[in-house]
């Protein structure tokens, strides 16, 4: 889908020929004399139009308006969050209509957050999965014009960033939604190669032999139960001087998680195809980086394999040796995410990173803790945590900080190895993070548990593309204010 940004007063927007025009009506709506403004004033006076987000008023071939369909959409105070809600409502009301050409008129005072939300919310609500359907229906929308009455200095840049983010999010969703027989580790490797070629990125895809040579005994143990060969993907985007230490993103790439020998119940097991959402988000971020080219260095690491039961599969009780040399007793083969991430975290050390952020659909416990609204954020470094929290707020891709007190790690003790891969059920998202932290001592580290946010279940089942928006916002903040600041990094106290 094509997005364009135009500076257009409402009077001019009235004359745009299109299939649908969505006009944001905020609390401060202006009192212009053009047909659109007059319509808004009359409707509001009559009490037929509220400015609350979600409230809509439709018109067909309205007088003085060239658009076939007009949707007046309450936009509240005009903030990003309200604009997002307004556009979701307006787009839902246009579902099934033959809208190829759409114009969205923002309010006079639209700031960067509103513009960003307009682009990402439009892209989000018009996405339709067709990859494995026999007919590609529902993808009519071709061109979206975002019209702002007053162009502000940052608008152009914000718009370009939002457009690239939307493309990255869509790409992550598409990969996430693919069935597990297609989205294999091999396919993810091919996608990374394709991305690298199209966007001048560096890409290396390692297979079983190279991974064995690296000593990733933990990652290999997870892959052992599957016929699909594992892949370890290394992507690099170089936007800043080589002397700038990179941000390393590590994405969990389990393309199907059956639980292994500790097998999961059958109900909803299909949703474990989404267990590569962390990997998909890293690929989505790189796609956007390739388009935007911000002044920052980024490395993407993706350990990818299936977790299946088999005669050769790892068993409860097995002890594996990680790349770091630490040994792990596998008490539950379903806690496989941490077993592949730990080796990727050790591999990350070689980049002498400014920060490492891993992204993983890691625990059902995180879904219980935070539901589908906010991702779980764990960090060993307050500055990194604050930056990620703030990025999430700006991108409307929220997260919430969780604790890392050392006592939470006590349950990982075992008599037979340096640690076990699971503790008890209480605080399961935190004990998983404590496990990872043992492999992240050499750099500022954060962990995003996206188990609740990466996909939706039920009738709206599908990937969300989160947290591509958050990560891109964070990375562009790093480009604006380089990672190597003069103030010494604060270590997190007892977290
Ligand atoms: N991929 C799952 C986590 C998951 C479960 C995400 C449900 C979303 C919904 C992960 O590999 C897993 O199975 N975790 C276990 C850990 C447990 C064995 C300690 C879990 O959460 O049940
Ligand atoms: Mn699992
Ligand atoms: Zn998993």
């Amino acid at each position: 889908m094509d997005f364009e940004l135009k500076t257009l007063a409402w009077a001019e927007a009235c004359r745009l020929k299109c299939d649908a025009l969505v006009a944001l009506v905020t609390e401060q709506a202006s009192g212009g004399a053009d047909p659109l403004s007059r319509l808004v004033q009359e409707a509001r006076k009559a009490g037929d139009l509220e400015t609350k987000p979600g409230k809509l008023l439709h018109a067909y071939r309205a007088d003085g308006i060239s658009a076939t369909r007009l949707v007046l959409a309450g936009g509240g105070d005009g903030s990003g969050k309200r604009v997002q809600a307004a556009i979701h409502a307006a787009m839902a009301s246009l579902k099934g209509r033959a809208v190829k050409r759409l114009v969205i008129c923002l309010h006079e005072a639209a700031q960067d957050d509103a513009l960003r939300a307009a682009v990402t919310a439009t892209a989000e609500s018009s996405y339709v999965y067709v990859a494995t359907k026999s007919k590609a229906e529902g993808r009519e929308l071709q061109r979206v014009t975002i019209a702002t009455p007053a162009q502000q200095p940052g608008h152009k840049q914000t718009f370009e960033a939002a457009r690239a983010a939307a493309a990255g999010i869509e790409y992550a969703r598409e990969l996430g939604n693919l069935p597990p027989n297609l989205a294999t580790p091999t396919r993810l490797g091919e996608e990374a190669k394709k991305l690298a070629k199209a966007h001048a990125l560096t890409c290396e895809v390692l297979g079983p032999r190279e991974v064995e040579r690296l000593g990733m005994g933990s990652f290999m143990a997870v892959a052992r139960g599957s016929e699909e060969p594992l892949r370890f993907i290394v992507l690099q985007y170089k936007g800043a001087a080589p002397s700038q230490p990179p941000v390393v993103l590590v994405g969990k790439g389990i393309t199907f998680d059956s639980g292994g020998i500790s097998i999961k119940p059958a109900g909803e097991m299909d949703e474990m195809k989404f267990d590569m959402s962390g990997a998909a988000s890293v690929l989505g971020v790189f796609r956007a980086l390739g388009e935007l080219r911000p002044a920052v260095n980024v490395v993407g690491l993706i350990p990818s394999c299936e977790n299946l039961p088999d005669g050769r599969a790892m068993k409860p009780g097995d002890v594996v040796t990680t790349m770091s040399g630490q040994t792990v007793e596998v008490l539950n083969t379903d806690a496989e995410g941490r077993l592949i991430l730990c080796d990727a975290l050790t591999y990350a050390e070689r980049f002498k990173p400014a920060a490492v952020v891993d992204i993983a659909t890691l625990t059902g416990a995180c879904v219980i803790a935070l539901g589908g609204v906010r991702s779980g954020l764990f960090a060993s470094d307050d500055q990194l945590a604050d930056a990620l929290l703030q990025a999430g707020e700006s991108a409307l891709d929220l997260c919430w900080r969780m604790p890392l007190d050392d006592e939470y790690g006590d349950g990982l003790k075992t008599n037979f190895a340096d640690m076990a891969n699971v503790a008890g059920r209480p605080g399961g998202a935190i004990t998983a993070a404590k496990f990872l932290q043992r492999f992240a001592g050499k750099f500022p580290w954060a962990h995003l548990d996206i188990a609740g946010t990466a996909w939706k279940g039920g009738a709206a089942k599908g990937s969300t593309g989160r947290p591509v928006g958050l990560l891109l916002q964070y990375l562009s903040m790093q480009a604006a204010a380089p990672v190597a600041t003069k103030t010494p990094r604060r270590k997190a106290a007892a977290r």
Side-chain angles (χ1 to χ4, degrees), residues 252 257 264 272 275 332 334 336 361-364 422 451 455:
K252 173 178 172 182
D257 180 12
K264 289 180 183 292
M272 283 300 122
D275 211 18
N332 189 319
D334 199 9
E336 85 297 339
T361 47
L362 203 63
T363 64
V422 293
W455 77 88

Side-chain angles (χ1 to χ4, degrees), residues 25-29 44 49-55 73-77:
V25 182
T26 60
E27 290 150 6
Q28 314 81 10
R44 288 196 64 186
L49 176 60
E50 291 171 64
T51 57
K52 211 170 127 198
K55 297 288 181 184
D77 62 5

